[in-house]
Amino acid sequence: MELTAPAGTAPAVHRVDGLSRAAVTVFADAVNAALPERADEAGETADGSTLVTVRALTESPESEQDRRTRVFRLWLKTVALMTVVLAVAVGITTQAVFGLSVLIVLPVGLALTTGGYMGLKVVWKQWYLPRKGITVVAVRREGATDKFGGTGNFVYVDLHGQSRAMYAQNRAEDIQVAYHPERPGTVAACQSWLRNSAETVLMVALFLLGLAIDALIVGLTVGAFLGLYDDYAYTAG
């Protein structure tokens, strides 16, 4: 792209990376052709390079995925450690059967709570983005479909020309998706009102069931530490 520069100034080169030479050449030629012809003007020539800014439009998908993976692994380790510690403490305080109950039931409750919470975040995007975001068509990626054809990876292109991948449960070869205007990597498949409602009810039910199980285990643990099961321990002994 052609920029003006004061006389005697060394020319500055601005590169477009991540694309083929032919694509960049076509893009630059198209931009230069669209610029108005600049008549010869007397006086000092402006330094056009000062008008160029370089910035990252979005966070790279790789770094975002790495961050989510680290958070998920940390959460799994925390849950495992907490479960073992509580199970051992309850088993020592009361009976082994109570500790075994904590060891088995607590991970189930936490899994339901976590799954329901994550599902609610997905459902929220499915309600919000089609109304407030940018809607485009995503095409199924070849060779990225399960054996039943019900799910797969799809690729869409944002307004900046960047191709992005997403996972969706759909048998079609192309679907409509909506992404956040300021965060193009935040995307959701456009679904019917009925399907969104059904998934919302399901995720709320899973989340509440998980909370109920978690509350039960918390009550059992507190009761064990307060000595509410001493009579049971004595009788069993």
Side-chain angles (χ1 to χ4, degrees), residues 1 14-30:
M1 281 154 278
H14 297 274
R15 298 179 57 86
V16 179
D17 297 321
L19 297 172
S20 67
R21 182 182 181 88
V24 173
T25 300
V26 171
F27 171 74
D29 290 343

Side-chain angles (χ1 to χ4, degrees), residues 107-119:
V108 175
L110 292 176
L112 290 175
T113 305
T114 303
Y117 172 74
M118 296 175 64

